Amino acid sequence: MDDTTRTELEAAAFRRLVQHLRERTDVQNIDLMNLAGFCRNCLSKWYRAAADEKGVPLSDPEAREIIYGMPYDDWKKLHQAEASPEQKAAFVAANPQH
């Protein structure tokens, strides 16, 4: 497979992942962190870091809006629930560096 095709396939898979996360608002970021070790915020930070590497100016709020499909504060108001004590304990156990 040539590099252009690989990049196009990776980009398509990334866009599908972002769309899936936008549709699955029932899945909380803490659940993603506990199960997969990353969340929507991580994805937005990786996106911003990639932009930085290419010299493309992009702020954290702008990167989050790309991933969430809306301003982060709006998404939190609409979809973010308070983490349960069990979710918080699982997060601390799985992510001692956070």
Side-chain angles (χ1 to χ4, degrees):
M1 178 184 310
D2 63 83
D3 286 344
T4 299
T5 301
R6 180 183 50 79
T7 299
E8 289 171 356
L9 295 175
E10 290 170 351
F14 172 79
R15 287 189 298 271
R16 183 62 191 105
L17 172 62
V18 169
Q19 184 61 38
H20 182 74
L21 291 173
R22 286 179 183 176
E23 292 169 0
R24 290 299 310 269
T25 58
D26 59 309
V27 178
Q28 297 293 299
N29 280 334
I30 195 163
D31 295 325
L32 289 170
M33 286 298 296
N34 288 342
L35 292 172
F38 81 99
C39 69
R40 294 168 181 90
N41 291 333
C42 297
L43 198 56
S44 72
K45 289 177 184 177
W46 300 337
Y47 193 96
R48 187 197 42 75
D52 282 350
E53 288 176 12
K54 293 289 187 182
V56 176
L58 188 68
S59 67
D60 282 333
E62 290 169 330
R64 282 185 176 182
E65 188 165 343
I66 289 167
I67 299 303
Y68 285 91
M70 66 181 69
Y72 180 55
D73 287 339
D74 293 348
W75 190 91
K76 286 191 319 184
K77 288 175 191 169
L78 290 170
H79 305 295
Q80 187 166 310
E82 179 66 29
S84 71
E86 294 82 11
Q87 288 171 313
K88 291 176 183 178
F91 178 80
V92 170
N95 302 285
Q97 72 278 10
H98 279 321

